């Protein structure tokens, strides 16, 4: 018979270790992963996946902004969710080393239903491209960050699905 | 973190998830039972695959713990759902570590599994997280 105390400790280490995994490790990844490239023309190939992904995040933010601007009369809960998801893309952009001052053009679809569908579609594409960039990344920390962002964006799809206009 | 360590963390996390799903999955309403069974099956299958990877790397997979501490009120459907959301989101971060520690083919699987689990957590009622990492925003 295993010692009961030993089992209790093992149990405690088990789910608690998993459940208490806080955002600390993620924040560490965010602060270290963009690895700003040195000044000059030495823009390394290893940063390319992060750069392209950061630009794509800026485009997603522009699309959310265009939808929020065009349809201020959406259900309040819908606006709250859209604002949250938009802000998460801002965190993705920042973590990937993108500038908050970067801009992109986006046009809201012609009605609110089409606008929500366009966001779902954009999140699908974003998740797929982040995972592709993760696979292609020669840098492990960037790969880790892109895997997390790809997962977050995959989760945006069901978060958008049940929203009412 | 090297590949063996990263995949050992996956196996340990999957063992905890299998335990959590086995207990919590029985507490949800009938309409969610299919989701719980699908999640349990995914965790079991991915645990096996991760353990096989460690063996290929020349090491032994970590053993499962005898049991795990679950919330005292796990018998309520709400807590059961939040528990499954929490383990799924925690595994997202663990698979992202494993993706980073692996070559392209394995990394593809790890990144796709991370995305699958993040989606699963939303299905259990979790709020979306910018960097999925655990139970913090599970409702």
């Amino acid at each position: 018979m295993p010692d009961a105390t030993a089992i209790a400790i093992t149990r405690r280490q088990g789910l608690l270790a998993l459940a208490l995994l806080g955002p600390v490790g993620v924040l560490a990844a965010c602060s270290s992963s963009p690895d700003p490239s040195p000044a000059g023309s030495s823009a390394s190939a290893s940063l390319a996946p992060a750069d392209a992904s950061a630009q794509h995040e800026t485009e997603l933010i522009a699309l959310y902004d265009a939808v929020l601007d065009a349809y201020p009369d959406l259900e309040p809960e819908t606006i709250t969710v859209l604002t949250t998801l938009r802000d998460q893309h801002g965190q993705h952009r920042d973590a990937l080393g993108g500038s908050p001052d970067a801009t992109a053009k986006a046009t809201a679809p012609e009605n609110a239903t089409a606008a929500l569908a366009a966001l779902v579609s954009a999140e699908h594409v974003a998740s797929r491209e982040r995972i592709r960039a993760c696979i292609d990344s020669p840098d492990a920390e960037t790969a880790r960050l892109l895997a997390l962002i790809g997962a977050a964006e995959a989760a945006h799809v069901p978060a958008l699905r049940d929203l009412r206009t | 973190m090297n590949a063996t360590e990263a995949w050992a963390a996956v196996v340990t996390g999957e063992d905890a998830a299998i335990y959590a799903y086995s207990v919590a999955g029985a507490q949800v309403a009938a309409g969610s039972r299919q989701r719980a069974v699908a999640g349990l099956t995914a965790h079991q299958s991915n645990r096996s695959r991760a353990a096989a990877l460690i063996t290929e790397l020349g090491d032994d997979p970590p053993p499962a713990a005898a049991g795990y501490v679950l919330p005292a009120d796990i018998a309520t459907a709400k807590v059961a759902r939040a528990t499954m959301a929490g383990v799924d989101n925690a595994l997202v971060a663990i698979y992202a570590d494993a993706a980073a520690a692996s070559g392209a083919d394995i990394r593809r699987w790890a990144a796709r599994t991370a995305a699958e689990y993040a989606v699963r957590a939303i299905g259990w009622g979790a709020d979306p997280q910018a960097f999925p990492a655990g139970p913090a925003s599970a409702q």
Side-chain angles (χ1 to χ4, degrees):
Chain A
M1 276 293 284
D3 178 75
T5 310
I7 291 176
I9 291 169
T10 309
R11 285 178 172 173
R12 199 160 291 283
Q13 287 171 338
L15 192 63
L16 283 189
L18 185 64
L20 294 180
L21 275 176
V24 176
V26 175
L27 293 177
C30 297
S31 57
S32 64
S33 57
D35 190 22
S37 61
S41 59
S42 61
S44 72
S46 72
L47 289 177
D51 285 347
S53 298
Q55 174 58 30
H56 194 188
E57 294 294 338
T58 298
E59 291 164 13
L60 286 164
I61 293 164
L63 179 58
Y64 273 88
D65 282 342
V67 170
L68 285 163
D69 282 349
Y71 303 107
D73 295 331
L74 285 166
E75 292 274 331
E77 191 193 327
T78 298
I79 290 181
T80 300
V81 172
L82 295 188
T83 305
T84 298
L85 300 186
R86 179 224 180 269
D87 291 348
Q88 292 188 357
H89 288 297
Q91 293 181 57
H92 296 165
R93 175 202 60 206
D94 294 350
L96 290 163
S99 165
D101 299 329
T103 55
K105 283 211 168 94
T107 308
E110 61 191 6
N111 62 60
T113 303
L116 293 181
L119 291 173
V120 168
S121 171
E123 294 282 8
H124 256 306
V125 171
S127 174
R128 202 171 55 227
E129 293 194 358
R130 246 31 112 239
I131 291 171
R132 189 189 314 260
C134 165
I135 294 161
D136 291 342
S137 174
D139 170 65
E141 269 308 309
T142 305
R144 190 174 105 85
L145 182 60
L146 287 165
L148 277 180
I149 294 175
E153 292 172 346
H156 284 184
V157 171
L160 285 164
R161 277 252 162 80
D162 296 330
L163 295 180
R164 287 176 311 186
T165 57
Chain B
M1 189 183 294
N2 67 36
T4 305
E5 290 165 348
W7 286 103
V10 167
V11 170
T12 299
E14 289 289 18
D15 278 328
I18 290 164
Y19 187 94
Y21 263 77
S22 300
V23 177
Q27 310 299 331
V28 297
S32 297
R33 205 59 55 79
Q34 190 62 38
R35 185 196 300 280
V37 170
L40 177 59
T41 304
H43 286 303
Q44 288 168 329
S45 152
N46 289 329
R47 195 258 181 222
S48 296
R49 189 163 171 184
L53 267 178
I54 293 171
T55 305
E56 279 174 34
L57 291 167
D59 217 321
D60 293 326
Y68 301 85
V69 173
L70 290 171
D73 46 357
I74 190 76
T76 65
K78 185 181 176 188
V79 173
R81 293 168 65 89
T83 299
M84 289 186 279
V87 294
D88 282 333
N89 267 333
L91 276 165
V92 172
I94 293 170
Y95 272 93
D97 284 343
S102 304
D105 285 345
I106 305 298
R107 186 183 284 180
R108 174 181 290 110
W109 171 57
R112 285 180 177 169
T113 304
E116 178 192 322
Y117 287 179
V119 168
R120 218 177 268 288
I122 300 293
W124 290 124
D127 287 334
Q129 299 181 21
F131 305 98
S137 67
Q139 288 180 333

